[in-house]
């Protein structure tokens, strides 16, 4: 899993109107958490709508390695028989999390307070990403970790034999760090407290409550204070995973920039900690509406309808919105190229440590396609060229980053000349049906061999 095969270059060319219904896959964040919490519950958790992308499949394999019984029953339908909090077995071999930062960081949290040792690795992208943000707080529980220079994978984590609960303020806006600490807190006696200055996606908190843990969240002057009582017995759940707003972003943004388009993207989870992109697009003047708004499994859900929007204007995206759309800046920067005026994205330094340095990856790829961008440590500004002003014609490096590859495929659907990426394989980590889904709406995406 940690290697990738021969690169698959992909090219996307100017498309006729995109029309139809885009059934995007299940939410990646919730899919990972369904498997992890299912593995730590006592009894059988049933999951439907699980994202069967490479990232989540790596987490399923990891949970088996830690002793849970994880079985695929059908399309997106899974069964997890958990071992209970503190019941993880020591894996016999190295845990390969592939491309998944969420997978590895959350799993490290889950095992950090059990008396077992595990060694983690991943693909070249994951091996370059910082793990200190998780190994620092799990050390406070008593876990030890030994990795490469800079806190990189491969890394061995020795779980705490006698874990102590912690009170931890996350030093960066990161749901992965928050979640790793809470998951470690599950097997520590007493109360574990996490304080985050800005709200990040709260699926872990919601799902822990759903599995029967005692958890409370309070908004205070210090920030969001989350208190978890350790050593609960987690009760197995039936989980219907909502569809992923981060995947919905691609057909939505494509419809906004391709003339004549009208696309319906049904059943999208619109948890406010995830929906920042859609708010931003509407502020830019996008013809994007929420239809059939409802609540499912405690999460707000709606059908998104996106239509061609030739009058979008660049805006300054408020910094405090960054956490709620952190994975969507790459595709927003593509939409921004088709808007009029400047789109300023600020407070986005976390983009530098995602599957790739996403500020650099987007800047270089946009430049290669005739778009002007300014960038700094924590900002990027895209100079819009209007609905038919983007030249295209370039090749972007995907850098083992699914969202970079998909963003440039969307760009090619509306630019004057085709846009290519050097490798479309990473798309399978989060959106394995991206190509057939987009071509089914009317897009033209071609593969060529290197
Ligand atoms: C995720 C949190 C975010 C996000 C990632 C999924 C999660 O990462 O970018 O795709 O499921 O918790 P950070 O915690 O690093 O911001």
């Amino acid at each position: 899993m940690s290697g990738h095969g021969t690169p698959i270059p992909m090219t996307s060319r100017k498309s006729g109107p995109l029309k139809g219904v885009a059934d995007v896959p299940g939410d990646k964040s919730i899919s990972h958490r369904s498997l992890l919490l299912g593995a730590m519950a006592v009894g059988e958790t049933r999951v439907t709508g699980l994202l069967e992308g490479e990232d989540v499949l790596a987490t399923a394999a990891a949970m088996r390695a830690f002793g849970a019984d994880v079985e695929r029953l059908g399309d997106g339908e899974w069964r997890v028989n958990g071992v209970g909090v503190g019941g993880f077995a020591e894996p016999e071999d190295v845990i390969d999390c592939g491309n998944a930062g969420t997978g590895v960081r959350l799993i490290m949290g889950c095992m950090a307070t059990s008396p077992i040792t595990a060694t983690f690795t991943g693909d070249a992208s994951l091996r370059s990403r910082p793990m200190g943000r998780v190994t620092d707080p799990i050390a406070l529980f008593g876990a030890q970790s030994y990795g490469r220079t800079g806190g990189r994978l491969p890394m061995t984590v020795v779980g705490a034999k006698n874990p102590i609960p912690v009170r931890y303020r996350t030093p960066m806006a990161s749901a992965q760090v928050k979640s790793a600490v809470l998951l470690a807190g599950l097997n520590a006696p007493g109360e574990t407290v996490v304080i985050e200055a800005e709200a990040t996606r709260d699926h872990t908190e919601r799902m822990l409550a759903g599995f029967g843990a005692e958890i409370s969240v309070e908004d205070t002057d210090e920030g969001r204070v989350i208190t978890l009582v350790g050593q609960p017995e987690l009760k197995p759940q039936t989980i219907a995973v909502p569809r992923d707003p981060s995947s919905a972003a691609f057909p939505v943004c494509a419809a906004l920039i391709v003339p004549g388009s009208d696309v319906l993207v049904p059943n999208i989870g619109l948890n406010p900690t995830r929906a920042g992109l859609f708010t931003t697009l509407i502020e830019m003047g996008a013809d994007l509406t929420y239809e059939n708004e409802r609540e499912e499994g405690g999460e707000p859900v709606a059908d998104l309808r996106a239509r061609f929007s030739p009058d979008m204007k660049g805006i300054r995206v408020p910094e405090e919105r960054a956490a709620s759309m952190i994975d969507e800046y790459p595709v927003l920067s593509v939409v921004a190229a088709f808007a009029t005026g400047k789109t300023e994205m600020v407070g986005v330094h976390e983009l530098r440590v995602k599957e790739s340095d996403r500020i650099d990856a987007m800047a270089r790829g946009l430049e290669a396609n005739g778009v002007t961008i300014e960038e700094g440590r924590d900002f990027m500004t895209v100079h819009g060229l209007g609905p038919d002003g983007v030249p295209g014609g370039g090749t972007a490096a995907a850098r083992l980053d699914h969202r970079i590859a998909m963003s440039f495929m969307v760009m090619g659907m509306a630019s004057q000349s085709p846009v290519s990426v050097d490798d479309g394989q990473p798309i399978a980590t989060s959106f394995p049906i991206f190509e057939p889904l987009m071509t089914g709406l009317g897009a033209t995406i071609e593969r060529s061999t290197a």
Side-chain angles (χ1 to χ4, degrees), residues 101-386:
T102 306
V104 74
R105 292 186 175 128
L106 268 54
I107 296 169
M108 282 180 175
C110 291
M111 58 75 58
T113 45
S114 290
I116 53 173
T117 296
T119 300
F120 297 90
T121 193
D123 71 3
S125 154
L126 193 57
R127 291 195 308 270
S128 73
R129 299 179 68 185
M131 295 298 141
R133 52 181 57 203
V134 167
T135 55
D136 287 352
I138 64 175
L140 304 174
F141 288 96
Q144 291 166 305
S145 50
Y146 306 90
R148 287 193 303 132
T149 314
R152 317 277 158 178
L153 303 179
M155 179 173 281
T156 296
V157 178
V158 181
K161 283 199 177 62
N162 297 302
I164 41 169
V166 310
R167 183 180 175 87
Y168 190 69
R169 169 180 279 277
T170 54
M172 70 288 288
S174 166
Q176 292 175 359
V177 174
K178 166 180 67 179
S179 302
V181 177
L182 290 172
L183 293 168
L186 276 177
N187 198 36
E191 288 186 350
T192 286
V193 179
V194 185
I195 303 149
E196 56 178 2
E198 297 159 57
T200 62
R201 68 190 67 194
D202 61 356
H203 307 301
T204 303
E205 296 91 305
R206 288 178 190 240
M207 292 177 75
L208 277 170
F211 274 81
E214 212 178 310
I215 181 165
S216 64
V217 181
E218 221 187 321
D219 284 311
T220 71
D221 292 347
E222 271 192 293
R224 250 179 114 244
V225 180
I226 306 144
T227 305
L228 171 75
V229 179
Q231 301 183 325
E233 180 172 310
L234 297 182
K235 312 249 175 327
Q237 297 299 301
T238 301
I239 301 169
V241 178
R243 292 184 183 165
D244 200 327
S246 298
S247 297
F250 296 100
V252 163
C253 289
L256 299 180
I257 62 173
V258 173
S261 297
D262 185 350
V263 171
L264 188 72
V265 192
N267 302 327
I268 300 306
L270 290 174
N271 179 318
T273 61
R274 297 287 301 280
L277 171 74
F278 305 123
T279 309
T280 301
L281 292 170
I282 291 167
E283 280 178 16
M284 291 172 76
D287 186 351
L288 172 63
T289 50
Y290 294 177
E291 298 184 354
N292 194 13
E293 286 182 65
R294 58 207 183 270
E295 192 151 304
E296 274 174 26
E299 297 267 353
V301 170
D303 305 336
L304 302 180
R305 183 159 185 192
R307 284 176 266 214
F308 176 52
S309 305
D311 299 319
M312 287 187 286
K313 308 258 181 307
I315 62 165
R316 181 181 172 91
V317 183
E319 183 164 355
E320 59 278 10
R321 197 179 290 158
S324 69
M325 53 179 289
I326 196 66
D327 290 335
E328 282 66 72
Y329 283 99
V331 74
L332 175 65
S333 66
V334 166
V335 172
F338 292 87
T340 310
K342 282 195 295 190
T343 296
E344 296 173 82
M345 299 166 245
V346 292
V348 293
H349 47 274
E350 276 293 304
L351 294 181
R352 298 235 179 242
V353 290
K354 294 293 176 188
E355 286 82 333
S356 67
D357 174 342
R358 285 183 172 161
I359 295 181
D360 194 60
M362 288 311 298
R364 302 293 82 78
L366 286 166
E367 278 165 6
N369 286 286
V371 181
T372 304
I373 178 161
E374 290 155 53
E375 48 138 330
R377 189 187 74 87
D378 67 347
F379 75 92
M380 55 178 178
T381 301
V382 175
H383 293 259
L385 294 165

